[in-house]
Amino acid sequence: PPDWDTSGMECGLAERRAHALRLILENMPIAIEPHELIVGTRTVFTDQASSKVPLAGKWNHDCFPRTLTEAEKEQPHRPPRLSHNVGGYGKILEKGFGGIAEDAAARLVSETDPARRNFLIGVRTAFHAASAFVCRYAELAEQGIEHNEGCDAGDLDRIAAVCRKIAGGTPENLHEALQLCWFSHVVFMIENMCLMSLGRFDQYIAPWWDTCPPDEAQELLECFFIKQNDQTDIWMGEGHTSNNVMLSGLRPDGTDGTNDLTYACLDALDHLRMSEPLFAVRMHRDSPDKLVRRTCDLNISGCSQISYYNDDTFIPALEKGGIAIADARNYALDACQDILIDGCSTLYSPGSYTWHNLTALMLATVNAVEPTASFEELVKTFKESFVERNRAFCQAHAEFRARKFCVPMPFTSGTLNDCVDRGKDLGDGGARYSDLGVYINSPVNCVNSLAAIHDVVYRKKEATLAEVVRALENNFEGAEDLRRKLFAAPKWGNDDDAVDLLAKDIFEFACNHVQAQAADEGWHYLSGIHQAHHVRGGAEVGATPDGRRAGEPFPVTLSPSNG
């Protein structure tokens, strides 16, 4: 609102961000719905809501030494910020909002560096604000009892007591643990706007699972999951919430993490049949047969929102990327499909610079090479183009990172291990791991296109490379016969060694080149293969030599070609 008081906010950016969060949590409308046992929701819906609060004049210009585009000058309150994170729920449950604020205050006593002091003050302010936000719900429940406003008085009394307890303290039972977890998620979503997951939920909630009778525990759990569907319809089909919950998998000590809560979460999914949350189940060679059968039965019955992650593949890959084995075993995913270390890492993402569109690069190569080039020369030119592009990307990213051009996240940072101890925000290298994941995008159409050119142009000699290029320029208009031949060529994922080995060569070349790039001390470039937003991604790319017409969707990641 325009009448929000911004006096006293002539301070550093991290502290101003914390005050912005405080203003939202103090003024945002709240409500308790009838029959709710888990309460709290977000009623501010703007992109980067907390950076919309008036802070200081043209602070984008003041704080970030770079040339702004004309569009950015017109929107001075929309700086880049980090998202795609997994908050430190385990740390919150262990220390409470009050405990994390106290840690920041204690660290502040001996800190003399102005930037670190500003960050620590921001953390303390943010967690005091979160505590006050919880108290607002306690007061609202107490007012509801007093005025008999339609909610059950017993439920309201219970809600008030839970909120009073966790406002600054730590939970002692399941209801308090779930409620503190949910309030934390609400604040995460306000600070980050989108794409914040609940991490390894069955691991950090498990200590409280047996603190109430089984029926009551299951009811509370299902109330928690119902709450995650509050705002699904607000986004009109845009998946900005995507409440991912990761279950099972290896513990940091190497033992299996499947527990009673794991199965209770799957039972809740079976019972509720709602679109949220999205379950990601970690599997490994020693996963219980019961878990495998239960998840597969749910998939067969129509619960299609279960995905599977292979510990036997992911953990060694994370180790190879320089992550300690205990931390690698504790991986989770954000509310997209990005792998992070629960409570220890951030996806340091400077927007559109985090992926390589292989198919677009392949098209540029096909158009650039001599029409008489051999297939080997075509592939060699493609690889050289990738090397040039990736080096330019890494240089741009290094410059980006040196500017620290991301808004601070004092609440999120305060929940991650090491940020408070280091006195640094997660965007400033405060987290234990802040490596950059670089995606190899649109891989399947790239490989299929090269395979189709090899089959139709070089092996069967049914067309020339120049004829293929002309057909692509015209989106196969007048060249349907050629399109059918290209479409019928061998494709990835069908047990054809010629295509699969070509894919192996291209993918390993790209991934290894990304990871070989030098980075500053303490972080790495990590590579992976992923095609997100496959419909939108395909819509932006013209016709391809595998017979795909302009604008048609890409396959998802390494799935077989559409159709």
Side-chain angles (χ1 to χ4, degrees):
D3 59 343
W4 276 1
D5 179 17
T6 59
S7 61
M9 295 180 68
E10 294 302 320
C11 48
L13 185 57
E15 187 179 352
R16 298 213 303 273
R17 280 281 294 177
H19 282 301
L21 179 64
R22 173 183 61 81
L23 286 169
I24 288 174
L25 295 178
E26 285 178 354
N27 291 274
M28 185 176 70
I30 64 173
I32 297 174
E33 300 296 332
H35 312 300
E36 281 194 317
L37 293 179
I38 303 296
V39 301
T41 196
R42 174 176 50 155
T43 57
V44 170
F45 301 100
T46 59
D47 187 11
Q48 303 165 346
S50 53
S51 63
K52 295 281 190 178
V53 177
L55 301 178
K58 296 185 178 179
W59 63 278
N60 224 355
H61 299 263
D62 297 340
C63 301
F64 301 119
R66 69 167 202 134
T67 302
L68 298 173
T69 66
E70 291 304 314
E72 287 167 328
K73 289 177 181 178
E74 293 172 3
Q75 301 180 49
H77 299 300
R78 293 189 63 187
R81 53 89 182 92
L82 300 174
S83 185
H84 293 258
N85 287 309
V86 180
Y89 294 94
K91 182 178 179 180
I92 293 171
L93 291 167
E94 176 190 353
K95 294 178 173 288
F97 292 158
I100 296 176
E102 290 172 4
D103 285 350
R107 174 73 176 75
L108 189 60
V109 172
S110 59
E111 183 55 67
T112 58
D113 179 77
R116 286 186 169 90
R117 286 188 60 83
N118 178 250
F119 166 72
L120 293 167
I121 292 171
V123 173
R124 183 184 62 186
T125 302
F127 280 88
H128 284 163
S131 294
F133 178 60
V134 179
C135 287
R136 289 184 66 198
Y137 275 91
E139 293 167 1
L140 185 64
E142 291 162 354
Q143 292 169 7
I145 297 170
E146 180 180 348
H147 296 99
N148 190 25
E149 294 178 347
C151 295
D152 181 86
D155 288 345
L156 290 173
D157 185 62
R158 185 179 177 187
I159 291 166
V162 167
C163 291
R164 289 292 181 195
K165 174 68 188 304
I166 63 171
T170 55
E172 294 183 0
N173 58 49
L174 180 65
H175 194 169
E176 293 169 357
L178 290 172
Q179 184 63 77
L180 180 57
C181 177
W182 183 247
F183 275 132
S184 303
H185 188 66
V186 171
V187 180
F188 281 135
M189 291 296 288
I190 292 171
E191 186 176 62
N192 290 267
M193 199 284 279
C194 66
L195 297 172
M196 292 289 294
S197 89
L198 288 151
R200 300 194 71 185
F201 178 78
D202 63 343
Q203 303 303 300
Y204 59 74
I205 292 293
W208 290 272
W209 180 244
D210 294 328
T211 57
C212 60
D215 288 348
E216 181 183 345
Q218 190 69 31
E219 180 187 26
L220 287 167
L221 178 65
E222 294 184 11
C223 286
F224 180 85
F225 287 153
I226 289 171
K227 197 67 184 169
Q228 293 177 45
N229 291 268
D230 261 8
Q231 298 172 7
T232 302
D233 60 339
I234 291 175
W235 300 104
M236 296 185 296
E238 293 287 337
H240 286 113
T241 48
S242 298
N243 296 292
N244 280 346
V245 171
M246 191 156 242
L247 302 177
S248 189
L250 294 173
R251 296 188 181 102
D253 64 3
T255 60
D256 179 62
T258 309
N259 54 40
D260 290 343
L261 180 54
T262 308
Y263 294 110
C265 290
L266 297 174
D267 290 344
L269 172 62
D270 194 10
H271 180 206
L272 297 174
R273 300 274 166 161
M274 301 184 79
S275 61
E276 302 272 351
L278 307 177
F279 286 110
V281 181
R282 283 177 45 178
M283 296 285 192
H284 53 89
R285 60 175 56 89
D286 296 320
S287 289
D289 289 344
K290 178 183 176 182
L291 178 65
V292 178
R293 289 184 175 276
R294 181 63 172 134
T295 53
C296 290
D297 285 343
L298 285 170
N299 279 149
I300 291 167
S301 73
C303 294
S304 60
Q305 66 264 55
I306 301 176
S307 58
Y308 299 89
Y309 285 73
N310 185 353
D311 282 6
D312 298 328
T313 296
F314 274 105
I315 293 170
L318 290 167
E319 278 193 279
K320 185 180 178 182
I323 293 172
I325 180 63
D327 290 335
R329 289 171 178 154
N330 210 30
Y331 76 86
L333 78 159
D334 63 4
C336 194
Q337 292 85 34
D338 309 304
I339 294 297
L340 300 97
I341 309 304
D342 201 317
C344 291
S345 72
T346 176
L347 185 79
Y348 198 95
S349 171
S352 62
Y353 294 101
T354 53
W355 61 76
H356 292 298
N357 188 329
L358 285 195
T359 298
L361 190 62
M362 176 275 304
L363 280 175
T365 303
V366 169
N367 280 278
V369 297
E370 293 293 329
T372 57
S374 68
F375 183 72
E376 290 72 22
E377 289 171 334
L378 174 62
V379 173
K380 180 175 180 288
T381 303
F382 170 74
K383 289 181 176 180
E384 290 171 347
S385 298
F386 181 87
V387 168
E388 182 180 352
R389 175 181 170 83
N390 189 60
R391 284 176 178 162
F393 155 73
C394 290
Q395 180 179 352
H397 174 258
E399 294 173 357
F400 178 98
R401 193 176 184 112
R403 294 191 188 107
K404 300 174 183 177
F405 188 39
C406 289
V407 303
M409 296 288 173
F411 182 83
T412 304
S413 298
T415 71
L416 301 181
N417 293 328
D418 303 332
C419 284
V420 171
D421 289 342
R422 295 175 178 178
K424 288 187 174 184
D425 186 82
L426 60 89
D428 189 21
R432 185 173 304 173
Y433 303 107
S434 57
D435 303 306
L436 179 74
V438 181
Y439 292 141
I440 308 304
N441 265 22
S442 64
V444 173
N445 291 103
C446 171
V447 168
N448 286 346
S449 293
L450 292 173
I453 289 172
H454 180 267
D455 185 64
V456 174
V457 175
Y458 293 98
R459 189 175 72 86
K460 295 179 179 177
K461 301 187 184 303
E462 295 177 326
T464 65
L465 188 59
E467 288 172 336
V468 172
V469 170
R470 282 196 299 272
L472 299 179
E473 290 174 348
N474 296 316
N475 196 22
F476 295 110
E477 289 292 330
E480 179 61 19
D481 182 60
L482 176 56
R483 191 194 75 82
R484 289 177 180 273
K485 290 175 181 178
L486 293 167
F487 189 75
K491 286 183 166 51
W492 150 266
N494 293 281
D495 201 25
D496 185 315
D497 283 351
V499 186
D500 291 350
L501 290 174
L502 174 63
K504 179 178 185 294
D505 175 57
I506 295 293
F507 300 161
E508 287 187 348
F509 175 85
C511 289
N512 289 336
H513 191 272
V514 167
Q515 297 200 176
Q517 298 306 297
D520 294 338
E521 184 179 356
W523 62 279
H524 309 82
Y525 289 108
L526 302 178
S527 59
I529 301 169
H530 180 41
Q531 176 58 57
H533 311 296
H534 58 289
V535 174
R536 188 172 71 197
E540 297 170 351
V541 175
T544 47
D546 56 351
R548 172 190 155 277
R549 292 187 175 89
E552 290 183 353
F554 290 143
V556 177
T557 306
L558 286 174
S559 300
S561 179
N562 297 331

